[in-house]
């Protein structure tokens, strides 16, 4: 752990908020005011395939201040939290070396926690264990986890299939709870910087209205064509880029299985649900 006085540490700003909250505008304002570099901390905005669906900054916005880690990764190459944290550390160091204020902006809690608090040193999961676990439906995974690792199960939403699978495969493959591994986190930079956290919060009704308006704007800006191009690449459906909100819904519209109105309504609902989860995480976990 660093023994330096907080005032001796370089400053790192974090503008955090749920989707459609206006955090990107806040970050850009700060960057212009304090000679900052805006660094993406959103898991979807790293992919160049998702310019519209992820609401990445426009070329006009990027021209107002340096931007890093936006659309820099091909969708065929998944970006893990550890991958992003390594890239973010390099971007932060680059900004500091140039005498600029690094400004993280985003709402992906796992990315932010991995950068600040380090990564849990979970060993590689047994492929056979992973295959069996990933084949389970959410309800079955939840039931198994409640039996094998009750504390971890109690922390997860019953429909959060991805995290249920992860927790179950960890306990089965390593014999230790994912909670225990998280306690052993290493590599974080929280104690190396003077962290300035600014949360962008809005009343839930206003946030939901902004989510709906954002989806309408995405459709008007060409989201359907963007998804058509992505699907045309025939990537593995399990890749993160293929699981982004809007891809499956507009894919359903493009293959004729659902009407556009239904697809848009589903995207809006999924976006509101995601924004609410982000807001909850920010309220209960993120501390400066």
């Amino acid at each position: 752990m660093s023994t330096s006085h907080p005032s001796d540490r370089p400053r790192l700003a974090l503008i955090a908020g749920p989707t459609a909250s206006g955090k990107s505008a806040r970050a850009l304002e700060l960057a212009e005011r304090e000679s900052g570099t805006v660094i993406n901390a959103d898991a979807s905005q790293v992919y160049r395939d998702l310019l519209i669906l992820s609401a990445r900054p426009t070329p006009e916005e990027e021209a107002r201040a340096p931007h890093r880690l936006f659309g820099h990764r091909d969708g065929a190459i998944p970006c893990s939290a550890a991958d992003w944290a390594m890239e973010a550390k390099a971007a932060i160091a680059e900004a500091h070396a140039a005498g600029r204020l690094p400004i993280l902006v985003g709402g992906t809690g796992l990315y932010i926690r991995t950068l600040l608090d380090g990564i849990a040193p979970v060993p590689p999961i047994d492929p056979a264990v992973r295959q069996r676990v990933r084949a389970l439906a959410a309800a079955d995974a939840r039931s198994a986890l409640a039996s094998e690792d009750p504390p971890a199960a109690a922390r997860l939403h019953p429909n959060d299939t991805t995290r249920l699978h992860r927790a179950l495969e960890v306990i089965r493959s390593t014999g230790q709870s994912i909670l225990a591994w998280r306690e052993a986190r290493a590599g974080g930079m929280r104690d190396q910087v003077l962290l300035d956290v600014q949360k962008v919060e809005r009343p839930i009704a206003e946030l939901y209205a902004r989510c709906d308006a954002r989806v309408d704007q995405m459709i008007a800006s060409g989201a359907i064509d963007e998804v058509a191009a992505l699907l045309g690449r025939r990537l593995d459906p399990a890749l993160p880029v293929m699981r982004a909100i809007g891809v499956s819904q507009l894919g359903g519209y493009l293959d004729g299985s659902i009407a556009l109105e239904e697809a848009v309504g589903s995207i809006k609902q999924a976006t509101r649900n995601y924004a609410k989860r982000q807001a909850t995480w920010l309220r209960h976990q993120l501390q400066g």
Side-chain angles (χ1 to χ4, degrees):
M1 179 174 291
S2 172
T3 58
S4 63
H5 190 276
S7 62
D8 297 329
R9 303 171 194 169
R11 185 177 167 210
L12 172 62
L14 169 58
I15 311 296
T19 188
S21 64
K23 59 185 179 294
S24 296
R26 175 84 66 84
L28 189 53
E29 291 169 1
L30 179 62
E32 291 182 311
R33 189 170 66 248
E34 300 198 32
S35 298
T37 295
V38 181
I39 302 171
N40 171 48
D42 181 282
S44 292
Q45 291 188 351
V46 301
Y47 298 111
R48 66 175 61 103
D49 304 78
L50 299 177
L51 170 63
I52 298 171
L53 277 186
S54 72
R56 281 210 323 261
T58 65
E60 292 76 16
E61 289 169 332
E62 291 193 341
R64 291 167 56 186
H67 283 64
R68 298 291 183 267
L69 307 187
F70 289 90
H72 69 297
R73 185 172 287 236
D74 186 274
I77 306 173
C79 185
S80 69
D83 293 335
W84 175 84
M86 179 176 63
E87 295 172 340
K89 287 179 181 179
I92 291 167
E94 175 193 353
H96 282 149
R100 304 187 66 87
L101 171 66
I103 305 169
L104 295 172
V105 58
T108 300
L110 180 59
Y111 273 23
I112 295 169
R113 284 199 62 189
T114 299
L115 176 69
L116 297 179
D117 301 325
I119 190 167
V122 181
I125 301 299
D126 183 327
V129 171
R130 170 162 287 170
Q131 183 176 11
R132 289 193 296 270
V133 168
R134 298 295 173 94
L136 295 174
D140 295 330
R142 168 80 177 181
S143 177
L145 189 63
S147 174
E148 299 174 41
D149 188 355
R155 295 195 182 192
L156 297 175
H157 190 282
N159 295 326
D160 192 344
T161 309
T162 299
R163 288 182 173 83
L164 288 169
H165 282 166
R166 177 60 176 166
L168 186 58
E169 70 184 19
V170 167
I171 189 69
R172 288 185 174 180
S173 184
T174 71
Q176 291 191 59
S177 170
I178 194 169
L179 302 181
W181 287 111
R182 287 173 180 167
E183 287 296 319
R185 287 178 180 272
M189 66 179 308
R190 186 186 291 269
D191 65 343
Q192 301 170 20
V193 295
L194 183 60
L195 186 62
D196 174 11
V197 179
Q198 299 181 34
K199 301 180 187 179
V200 181
E201 300 177 290
R202 296 183 183 275
I204 196 66
E206 180 185 351
L207 180 62
Y208 284 177
R210 291 174 66 95
C211 288
D212 288 351
R214 170 176 283 189
V215 173
D216 288 335
Q217 180 60 42
M218 288 176 177
I219 297 299
S221 299
I224 296 173
D225 291 338
E226 182 172 85
V227 170
L230 175 60
L231 296 178
R233 298 188 62 190
R234 300 186 181 279
L235 299 177
D236 183 345
L239 286 168
V241 72
M242 300 297 290
R243 300 199 306 269
I245 294 173
V247 174
S248 64
Q249 294 92 338
L250 291 179
Y253 163 68
L254 288 166
D255 68 20
S257 59
I258 59 174
L260 180 57
E261 182 179 0
E262 181 181 352
V264 171
S266 180
I267 296 171
K268 288 181 177 180
Q269 184 63 62
T271 303
R272 293 193 297 266
N273 291 346
Y274 181 54
K276 185 177 182 180
R277 291 197 299 272
Q278 289 177 304
T280 299
W281 182 85
L282 287 166
R283 188 165 55 250
H284 294 300
Q285 295 193 40
L286 186 60
Q287 300 177 358

